[in-house]
Amino acid sequence: DLIRSYFLQGNNSQLYNENAAVNSNNYNHRANLRMEYTIDKKNSIVLMPSLSWQNNNSINSTSSSTQQGQNATSSSITPVTLNSSVRNTIGKNIGFNFNNSLLLRHRFEKRGRTISLELGTGLSNRDANSTLNSENKYFGKNTSTQSINQVSTTLTNTVQLSANLVYTEPLSIRSQLQLSYNLSNNGNTS
């Protein structure tokens, strides 16, 4: 609950009163895996998939009013209501991420000479829905009501592909040359 008092000129005041209730649930699940396979002394494979899933739900309800009167905080004087509002917001978000990395490594006969190729994929999906319902009343000579009903939906899909090639060559006992080439492609629809 929120209460604010505003003191105005002429010994008048306004009182703003707000009551809010929030209920939210957030569920997250994650799974990660790392698998290594040594083919022989010179070759190996590493596979690293990961998966996450989220589900978020929320409900926010707020009611408020503004009252005016001589000393609106006093219980002996009945204040005049200037405006009131009731607002409800509901949100639901669901999404997942899947990432995968495959690493292929090869060691040559010459000590320190290697080549590796890492291939990566990423997929994600987000589905977000929300609604806002609000009714605002303004009191006075001409009482008026403003109603707001909004619905929002967002669907986002992302695909990522990548490749990274790395070659190492020893130059001396204490130095090494590394060459790398990285290629990636990202696609997003919303």
Side-chain angles (χ1 to χ4, degrees), residues 72-163:
T73 59
S74 172
S75 61
S76 63
I77 298 173
T78 304
V80 175
T81 301
L82 298 175
N83 59 56
S84 66
S85 176
V86 175
R87 182 176 59 247
N88 294 304
T89 305
I90 299 171
K92 182 174 178 98
N93 300 303
I94 297 174
F96 78 86
N97 295 317
F98 175 73
N99 295 298
N100 193 28
S101 174
L102 176 64
L103 177 62
L104 308 168
R105 296 184 292 201
H106 176 74
R107 287 188 294 170
F108 293 96
E109 288 294 328
K110 185 175 182 181
R111 183 179 173 100
R113 181 182 291 169
T114 65
I115 190 166
S116 64
L117 174 65
E118 183 175 14
L119 303 173
T121 57
L123 303 171
S124 68
N125 176 283
R126 298 272 181 278
D127 188 2
N129 299 294
S130 65
T131 60
L132 167 65
N133 297 311
S134 177
E135 185 175 274
N136 305 307
K137 292 184 180 181
Y138 303 95
F139 302 101
K141 291 181 183 179
N142 298 319
T143 300
S144 64
T145 301
Q146 176 191 44
S147 295
I148 298 172
N149 295 307
Q150 295 176 341
V151 176
S152 172
T153 300
T154 304
L155 180 61
T156 305
N157 292 306
T158 303
V159 176
Q160 299 171 330
L161 301 172
S162 65

Side-chain angles (χ1 to χ4, degrees), residues 169-180:
E169 179 69 31
L171 298 177
S172 69
I173 294 175
R174 295 186 178 163
S175 64
Q176 181 180 34
L177 174 69
Q178 179 175 314
L179 301 171
S180 67

